[in-house]
Amino acid sequence: MRIGKICYAVVLTMAVLFALLSWFTPLREVVQMPNSVQLSQGSINDYLNTQNIGLISSKYNESQKSIDYYLCNTIKIKSVEANIVPDKTVLLGGDTIGFEYASDGVLVLGKNKIFTKDSFVDNIINNELSEGDIITSVDGKDVNNAYEISQILNTRANSQDFVNIHAIRKGKEFDTKLKPAYDLLTKKYKLGLWVKNTMNGIGTLTYIDPTTKRFGSLGHAILDSNTSVAMPVLNGNLYDCTILGVRRAMRGSAGEFRGILKTNQSLGSVDINTQAGIYGNITSDTLLQDRIQVELGGKHTVIPGKALVYTSIDGKSVRAYDIEIIKTSHQSTNNRDMVIKVTDQRLIQATGGIVQGMSGSPIVQNGKLVGAVTHVFINDPTKGFGIYIDNMVKN
């Protein structure tokens, strides 16, 4: 009987201990980790240093190609598969650059009344098309501007018949029909829509792959200012940018670089506009010269602490400024992987902190490129969000 009570007490004590340990933050984080991680050969030790917290330690098991986690350096609590990839270096950005591209399809900005024999009419009665929709084809023919839509409407045998429209709304494709109306002012058939087919913006170059000459920038998509829609790219160009001035950021008001694009000479092509950034190919060799070559880090090696951000506030020279990575997350979305804070007084005095146009400014920690600036906190412009470089280079 006494032995039974002792066993019961031991089991109960272990159960309580395990329950308490399950709420021990480092242990809980290890238990919730994914079953595999991807690391470069040179970042293994950096990664292990981020995992050794309190009673938790980690070791790289080369024979098993795994990261093994131990409690009190003796009890193995988890083994994570380690996918080791070769080290990769890129050319560091930081330059202020401009983008301009024609969209793949046309963006609907709103409705436009048509002057017919029955006076002004609103051709869009229901919700066939609405602001933010992207029209990709009319009657089976691809369209990329308003002129192409007009050509289709006015060269058909039966111009008054309904036309078939293929469009995209919030990422989902759909089909609808519209009946054109004859505009007495222009003497042409119209759909009654305001549309747009070009996009442009200013941002910061993040990196260039020296082997492929492919670049990544911004860390987020270029959005239409009216609809907040990211337009897909048909073709576009990368340009140098002249900074005319900086509107300093203040609490409650985002600052910005004020600049113009030097469209007389293209530095490269733009072919992708994604939630993780703008991408394309460098065609000007001058953009490849005199750059710092830096090894790519990874999200699993980023830790709260000191780091550097590289940016240009005059459009001419790229400088490094001190920042602090305050918080990291492996479960975040929408380019908000880490929280950063500008600590360099030179940058704070010049810009107030993070301003529009700094998106894409590369973040370097422990000598490795680990991410890029993406957003600013309106209530505190010295703080903002960053995206992990892993999420940029995979595009």
Side-chain angles (χ1 to χ4, degrees), residues 138-192:
V138 176
D139 268 357
K141 299 178 181 178
D142 293 344
V143 293
N144 297 303
N145 53 60
Y147 175 77
E148 291 178 350
I149 295 177
S150 180
Q151 284 292 97
I152 294 171
L153 297 180
N154 290 279
T155 56
R156 299 186 306 153
N158 298 308
S159 298
Q160 297 183 26
D161 288 351
F162 281 88
V163 292
N164 298 309
I165 295 176
H166 188 73
I168 302 171
R169 178 177 297 168
K170 296 181 179 180
K172 296 183 179 180
E173 298 184 20
F174 69 97
D175 293 293
T176 188
K177 291 179 180 290
L178 274 180
K179 189 173 184 179
Y182 188 73
D183 182 28
L184 294 178
L185 297 177
T186 61
K187 301 187 184 306
K188 290 183 178 181
Y189 283 92
K190 293 184 175 181
L191 293 179

Side-chain angles (χ1 to χ4, degrees), residues 47-219:
Y47 177 72
L48 294 177
N49 290 335
T50 68
Q51 304 302 299
N52 298 329
I53 304 174
L55 300 178
I56 304 297
S57 60
S58 60
K59 298 177 183 178
Y60 175 54
N61 188 328
E62 187 171 1
S63 62
Q64 298 295 321
K65 293 295 186 290
S66 66
I67 305 294
D68 298 332
Y69 292 85
Y70 295 86
L71 179 62
C72 300
N73 210 34
T74 54
I75 305 173
K76 183 189 288 190
I77 53 177
K78 186 162 185 171
S79 184
V80 173
E81 179 185 356
N83 179 21
I84 307 301
V85 298
D87 295 332
K88 183 176 179 60
T89 59
V90 296
L91 302 179
L92 195 66
D95 319 59
T96 305
I97 50 177
F99 312 88
E100 188 173 69
Y101 70 85
S103 60
D104 186 7
V106 294
L107 177 66
V108 177
L109 296 179
K111 302 176 183 180
N112 181 24
K113 289 187 177 181
I114 304 170
F115 183 59
T116 71
K117 60 183 179 62
D118 300 317
S119 190
F120 286 98
V121 298
D122 190 343
N123 201 39
I124 311 297
I125 301 174
N126 300 312
N127 196 31
E128 298 98 338
L129 288 169
S130 60
E131 181 182 290
D133 290 345
I134 301 173
I135 300 174
T136 58
S137 70
V138 176
D139 268 357
K141 299 178 181 178
D142 293 344
V143 293
N144 297 303
N145 53 60
Y147 175 77
E148 291 178 350
I149 295 177
S150 180
Q151 284 292 97
I152 294 171
L153 297 180
N154 290 279
T155 56
R156 299 186 306 153
N158 298 308
S159 298
Q160 297 183 26
D161 288 351
F162 281 88
V163 292
N164 298 309
I165 295 176
H166 188 73
I168 302 171
R169 178 177 297 168
K170 296 181 179 180
K172 296 183 179 180
E173 298 184 20
F174 69 97
D175 293 293
T176 188
K177 291 179 180 290
L178 274 180
K179 189 173 184 179
Y182 188 73
D183 182 28
L184 294 178
L185 297 177
T186 61
K187 301 187 184 306
K188 290 183 178 181
Y189 283 92
K190 293 184 175 181
L191 293 179
L193 296 169
W194 287 109
V195 296
K196 177 181 181 180
N197 71 303
T198 58
M199 299 284 284
N200 57 62
I202 293 175
T204 301
L205 180 68
T206 306
Y207 68 88
I208 302 173
D209 187 318
T211 304
T212 64
K213 295 185 179 181
R214 192 149 182 84
F215 74 85
S217 58
L218 261 72

